[in-house]
Amino acid sequence: MSEVFEGYERQYCELSVNLSRKCNSAALLPDGEPKKQQTSELNVGLDDADVLIRKMDLEARSLPPSLKATLLAKLREYKSDLNKLKKEVNKLALIGANQAAHDLDSGMMDPHAASANQRERLAMATERLDQSSDRIRESRRTAFETEDLGVSILAELHQQRETLLHSHNKLHGVDDAIDKSKKILTSMSRRISRNKWIMGSVIGALSLAIILILYFKLFHH
């Protein structure tokens, strides 16, 4: 996996967990200035998360197709989670605004209703935190699987390289054997040619000797 992408991903996961915790804390705060301040900080954090998402997207699209597809699929999950968190923050701000308007109208909030509302918010906050933890565990698992896949691919490439080198050495040995065979055949051809010349010379000499013998026998008696 790209080290640049991993760096952005690590920053995003840490920021996502931090935002989820802040969102949970803000849900438990009573309506007022502290809650508005917390919501404002959440919006700033969401903007930072958007920047990291865009950086991860650009980095993923610059990688090879096989790795790009995996990272873009993971990035879609991050975008979906971030959109859910944005909705929760917007809902939190909307609830605070509506509750403030209701308090102005009623002059006092029902303690029992407030307690039930806080319990509901606490349950939602706990659920969001659990979901964030699950996402982090899933991201780590995916990272480990991707790392294992990369190691496996490197091992396979190394094995293929060794096979190619072994084949190259075999071909080199075959070339050497062919060169030696050519030299042997050339030497044998030269010997055969030389032997032909010798045999021709011997036959010629014998023929000449026979002719001379016949000549002397026929013309000197």
Side-chain angles (χ1 to χ4, degrees):
M1 185 184 293
S2 168
E3 293 183 1
V4 177
F5 186 92
E6 286 181 346
Y8 292 148
E9 183 180 28
R10 184 166 53 253
Q11 294 178 41
Y12 173 78
C13 289
E14 292 175 356
L15 180 59
S16 177
V17 171
N18 188 30
L19 290 174
S20 295
R21 290 176 179 172
K22 282 188 176 182
C23 188
N24 297 339
S25 300
L28 300 177
L29 290 175
D31 296 318
E33 194 61 32
K35 191 169 187 176
K36 291 181 180 179
Q37 180 66 27
Q38 193 85 324
T39 303
S40 178
E41 292 177 0
L42 283 168
N43 286 322
V44 173
L46 290 174
D47 292 337
D48 294 337
D50 275 328
V51 172
L52 290 172
I53 287 290
R54 287 194 294 271
K55 288 182 177 180
M56 282 191 286
D57 185 78
L58 291 174
E59 177 64 21
R61 295 183 185 279
S62 66
L63 297 174
S66 58
L67 186 56
K68 178 173 69 174
T70 302
L71 296 182
L72 288 179
K74 183 189 293 187
L75 197 57
R76 283 194 293 271
E77 295 180 2
Y78 289 155
K79 289 179 180 178
S80 177
D81 294 338
L82 184 60
N83 288 332
K84 290 179 182 178
L85 189 58
K86 287 179 179 179
K87 289 180 180 179
E88 292 297 331
V89 173
N90 291 335
K91 183 179 178 181
L92 191 64
L94 183 62
I95 290 176
N98 291 338
Q99 190 62 45
H102 177 72
D103 290 344
L104 289 175
D105 292 337
S106 62
M108 182 181 298
M109 186 171 59
D110 185 4
H112 297 289
S115 178
N117 191 21
Q118 286 184 350
R119 284 195 299 270
E120 182 180 356
R121 292 179 183 178
L122 179 60
M124 293 173 58
T126 303
E127 183 180 358
R128 284 196 301 269
L129 185 59
D130 291 338
Q131 291 176 353
S132 299
S133 299
D134 291 339
R135 287 195 298 269
I136 292 174
R137 284 193 295 268
E138 181 65 21
S139 298
R140 289 178 178 175
R141 184 184 65 80
T142 304
F144 289 144
E145 289 179 353
T146 304
E147 183 178 358
D148 291 339
L149 179 61
V151 171
S152 176
I153 292 173
L154 287 176
E156 184 176 353
L157 291 175
H158 178 72
Q159 184 178 0
Q160 291 178 358
R161 178 178 178 274
E162 294 294 331
T163 302
L164 290 174
L165 289 176
H166 184 64
S167 300
H168 177 73
N169 292 333
K170 281 187 176 181
L171 290 174
H172 184 69
V174 171
D175 289 339
D176 291 340
I178 291 174
D179 290 338
K180 290 180 181 179
S181 300
K182 286 181 179 179
K183 290 179 180 179
I184 293 172
L185 291 173
T186 302
S187 177
M188 290 176 65
S189 177
R190 289 175 180 174
R191 288 180 183 178
I192 291 172
S193 298
R194 187 170 58 249
N195 290 337
K196 285 181 179 180
W197 281 105
I198 293 173
M199 290 178 64
S201 299
V202 171
I203 292 172
L206 289 174
S207 300
L208 181 61
I210 292 171
I211 292 171
L212 289 174
I213 293 171
L214 292 174
Y215 174 78
F216 283 111
K217 283 185 177 183
L218 293 174
F219 293 101
H220 290 279
H221 290 286

